[in-house]
Amino acid sequence: MKKLFHNAKFYSLDKSKTIFDSVLTEDGIIIDCFLGTPKIVAKKIDLNRSFVYPGFIDTHTHSFEGGLYSLAVDASKADKIADLLDLLAEAPKIGGMIFAYNFDENNILEQRFPLLKEIDKIFPDFPFLLRRIDGHSCLINSFAFEKITWGKNIPIGFDGVLRKTHNDIVAHWFHRNLDNESIIQAYEKAATIAIEGGFTTIHTMIGDADNDALHFELINNYKKNLPIEYILYPQIFNIGKALELGSNRIGGCILADGSFGSYTAAISKPYANKPTEKGILYQSQSFWNKFVEEAHNNDLQVAIHAIGDAAISQILSAYEKAQVKNPKNLYHQIIHNELNTDDMIERMQVAKVSAVMQPMFDRLWGGKNGFYRKVLGNDRAKKCNRLRTIYNKNILLTGGSDWYITELNATKELHAAINIHNENERLSSSQAVELFTINAAKLSNDSSRLGKIQKNYQADFTCFESEISDSFKENTKISHVIKKGILLK
Ligand SMILES: [Zn+2]
Ligand SMILES: [Zn+2]
């Protein structure tokens, strides 16, 4: 059926930056774009004077966790332990287990995690998991502790709180033990949240960041039933498995280092407030060289989590080696890419690497009294989230929320990119839009069907109630979301 979308401004993002007045679609594809509104036989869809951009794409999410935790308890709603325990006591079970997330002990009156005995009292006989806000530590009850197969990694002196490897084992065990119905329920919920946040396509990481691709196959088969498009990443180190799954890419938040919040992000000079700490490189250079080279030679796009300059430099070296030996346009991803020197940005350009960055990290941790400044000092804080410098170098730069870490919300992500604390690193509004449209499409090799409003492109639109300008407001509403010609919001 032909549909004529009209009464709106359509930002084509084509070379001449044409703004159309109406767009004709058929079977989910744009078949014509018009200046003015033609008199033709088609179902007319009035977009109420909205400002229409190509469907927004978030290029880095953990949608399963995001969806799952949206069904679970939001621990940030409690400001003391007693309130948290009350919230937990009323929590719904998901697949026979209780999940809570977004916990930050710094925002709790007692400045601590709940005690094991407090948790065991309310949850004596089924598994319970509370995740810290950064995902790098968690709390479980004794029942879960007994059930988990620890192998040689059994925690010594277990008191409920677990970090690093133990944290990973725990998250993996809980995710592994969910039934298919709950997993699909999590993705359905994630799709609903993505639409509400203004997205028509979402890149999502699936796997335990080790060797288990978890429910990749289940979702790969099921994704056609979801209202938005999912671009899946087998978040594993097993190249044979990624190829067997038919994936064009491998990785995601497979870790080169940890996070600034837990002082595990690997940096070349010590932390400003912890002069003996420089973070942790989780793997050796030779490990990454071998992994990247093998993936590269098999035409897999590689994606790796790297936050501190030492970790980014390590991953860059592996990408450089593979690219020099065998040049390709795979745009291997440095995910997060937070602390960058000029020299490293230069190297990224030469090695044709992409930067998949989170403008919202600056919103959360940038600025004068921000966390970056506290842990890195002023000079290095200014070298965090360098969107403009990277954009100006013609490096493929895309935006992602890292949801569930930050909100899946197109307006907020755009606003953060346009208003980076360091004025030198701010993007213009049109550059910020590119991150989530044209550039995102290029990242997944979908430039011929996504990222523009143009003939023969997919009819994916994100409609805002006002124009995306440099004075764009943080609370600008998403008025409509259209995927393959279907009005979803
Ligand atoms: Zn991530
Ligand atoms: Zn990550």
Side-chain angles (χ1 to χ4, degrees), residues 181-199:
E181 199 185 323
S182 306
I183 293 165
I184 286 170
Q185 198 191 348
Y187 278 92
E188 298 271 11
K189 178 75 179 175
T192 309
I193 292 168
I195 294 163
E196 206 45 49
F199 294 99

Side-chain angles (χ1 to χ4, degrees), residues 120-185:
D120 281 347
K121 200 173 161 193
I122 43 176
F123 303 130
D125 50 8
F126 49 84
F128 164 74
L129 170 65
L130 170 70
R131 294 198 87 180
R132 198 181 180 279
I133 187 162
D134 64 2
H136 288 262
S137 49
C138 68
L139 170 84
I140 59 171
N141 60 349
S142 296
F143 186 87
F145 180 78
E146 296 300 331
K147 290 275 174 208
I148 293 170
T149 347
W150 296 100
K152 59 178 175 5
N153 285 311
I154 187 143
I156 311 293
F158 171 71
D159 66 353
V161 180
L162 296 165
R163 298 183 177 82
K164 293 181 187 158
T165 315
H166 299 132
N167 175 58
D168 298 343
I169 293 172
V170 165
H172 181 219
W173 184 85
F174 274 84
H175 296 163
R176 243 285 155 230
N177 282 282
L178 272 180
D179 50 8
N180 286 356
E181 199 185 323
S182 306
I183 293 165
I184 286 170
Q185 198 191 348

Side-chain angles (χ1 to χ4, degrees), residues 60 62 136 252-255 305-307 335-336 402:
H60 188 74
H62 301 267
H136 288 262
C253 277
I254 53 174
L255 305 179
H305 158 124
I307 285 182
I335 295 172
H336 309 313
D402 203 14

Side-chain angles (χ1 to χ4, degrees), residues 320-374:
E320 284 166 338
K321 281 196 179 73
Q323 184 70 2
V324 165
K325 266 195 193 168
N326 188 1
K328 292 183 181 184
N329 289 328
L330 290 167
Y331 299 103
H332 297 311
Q333 303 181 17
I334 299 183
I335 295 172
H336 309 313
N337 195 39
E338 279 171 78
L339 177 59
N340 263 148
T341 61
D342 291 348
D343 168 58
M344 282 156 58
I345 293 173
E346 196 76 47
R347 288 168 59 196
M348 289 177 70
Q349 184 196 32
V350 175
K352 280 203 168 182
V353 160
S354 61
V356 177
M357 296 177 63
Q358 286 66 49
M360 280 301 287
F361 284 3
D362 173 78
R363 176 59 47 89
L364 294 175
W365 304 314
K368 247 187 176 167
N369 301 313
F371 185 69
Y372 287 133
R373 188 151 164 175
K374 181 176 140 200

Side-chain angles (χ1 to χ4, degrees), residues 16 62 87 109 147 170 183 194 201 263 292 316 323 346 382:
S16 52
H62 301 267
L87 272 178
L109 179 70
K147 290 275 174 208
V170 165
I183 293 165
T201 300
Y263 300 94
V292 169
L316 250 175
Q323 184 70 2
E346 196 76 47
K382 280 191 181 152

